[in-house]
Amino acid sequence: MGGSRARNSFRSFTQILLSFSLRILFLIFLLFLLLQGVKLAYSYGHGLLYEHAMEKEPGREIELEIKQGDSSSDIAKKLEKLGLIDNEEAFVLKAKLYHSSLLPGTYSLSTAMTQVQMLDFITEEGKKNQELSDKNLLKDGETEAESSEEDVIGAGNENALDSETTGKDGNATAKEENPQVVDAGAEGE
């Protein structure tokens, strides 16, 4: 009887030890997974939030062409292929966070620029190009409108035009125009 009791006691002890060991191994495995998850989350977050350039100053100038209809994801893929960024997802997220306007055009970017600097540059240059394009369209439109207005005005209002060029006494007067127009914004540059 003493032998069977010892065996039962030994079996009971080994079962307890085995159960305890498995629990410890399971907890170590969970801790390992948790640490790997933290490490992965840190590296992902670091890649998203840490601002770094691909090269040190002065970097290389690289042309980027944005076509009509390109999404921020398409642009991020182009930037990564050109070696200007190393994380597409970070660029797309930052483009959304900064409400960047990625307008079509050709942009000269440097490998020494961070992603936020690239977004700012593309947004500002795109807006400038859009404004210039809009002004050119307006000037063309104004020229056409002015010429059609002159045709209408000149068609039957000769007296109105004559009254502008003659003084109260009926003598012809000349309006003095300033041939030099100075842009105040250009003087400070």
Side-chain angles (χ1 to χ4, degrees):
M1 267 221 243
S4 69
R5 207 182 230 190
R7 268 190 229 143
N8 286 340
S9 173
F10 182 72
R11 282 185 188 164
S12 171
F13 176 73
T14 55
Q15 286 176 345
I16 291 172
L17 185 61
L18 184 61
S19 172
F20 182 72
S21 298
L22 288 175
R23 287 181 184 168
I24 294 292
L25 285 174
F26 181 72
L27 288 174
I28 289 172
F29 179 71
L30 283 179
L31 183 62
F32 174 76
L33 286 178
L34 180 67
L35 289 174
Q36 290 301 316
V38 167
K39 183 179 174 183
L40 182 65
Y42 174 79
S43 95
Y44 183 76
H46 188 267
L48 287 177
L49 302 174
Y50 175 69
E51 279 297 307
H52 67 282
M54 296 300 287
E55 295 178 4
K56 293 183 180 181
E57 287 289 338
R60 295 175 287 126
E61 292 292 319
I62 298 176
E63 294 287 322
L64 169 70
E65 182 181 356
I66 299 176
K67 296 178 181 172
Q68 186 71 32
D70 280 353
S71 68
S72 57
S73 179
D74 296 334
I75 296 167
K77 287 176 185 172
K78 288 179 185 181
L79 289 169
E80 190 170 48
K81 284 180 185 176
L82 292 171
L84 290 165
I85 64 170
D86 59 356
N87 190 336
E88 287 179 37
E89 293 171 350
F91 184 84
V92 171
L93 179 64
K94 288 174 186 175
K96 289 178 185 176
L97 289 174
Y98 287 95
H99 303 288
S100 298
S101 299
L102 304 174
L103 298 171
T106 303
Y107 303 93
S108 180
L109 302 172
S110 171
T111 55
M113 297 171 104
T114 64
Q115 290 183 6
V116 172
Q117 289 172 332
M118 286 181 205
L119 285 167
D120 289 342
F121 181 79
I122 292 170
T123 299
E124 292 302 315
E125 289 299 312
K127 285 179 183 177
K128 287 178 188 175
N129 291 340
Q130 186 70 34
E131 287 175 10
L132 288 174
S133 174
D134 290 346
K135 285 181 181 178
N136 285 341
L137 290 176
L138 286 176
K139 285 182 182 176
D140 292 343
E142 287 175 0
T143 304
E144 292 172 13
E146 287 172 358
S147 65
S148 63
E149 284 179 18
E150 288 174 0
D151 292 341
V152 172
I153 291 173
N157 294 329
E158 288 87 10
N159 292 338
L161 292 174
D162 288 339
S163 66
E164 288 180 10
T165 58
T166 58
K168 291 180 184 178
D169 57 358
N171 294 333
T173 59
K175 291 184 181 179
E176 183 178 318
E177 293 184 20
N178 186 0
Q180 288 183 327
V181 177
V182 179
D183 184 15
E187 286 180 5
E189 293 178 357

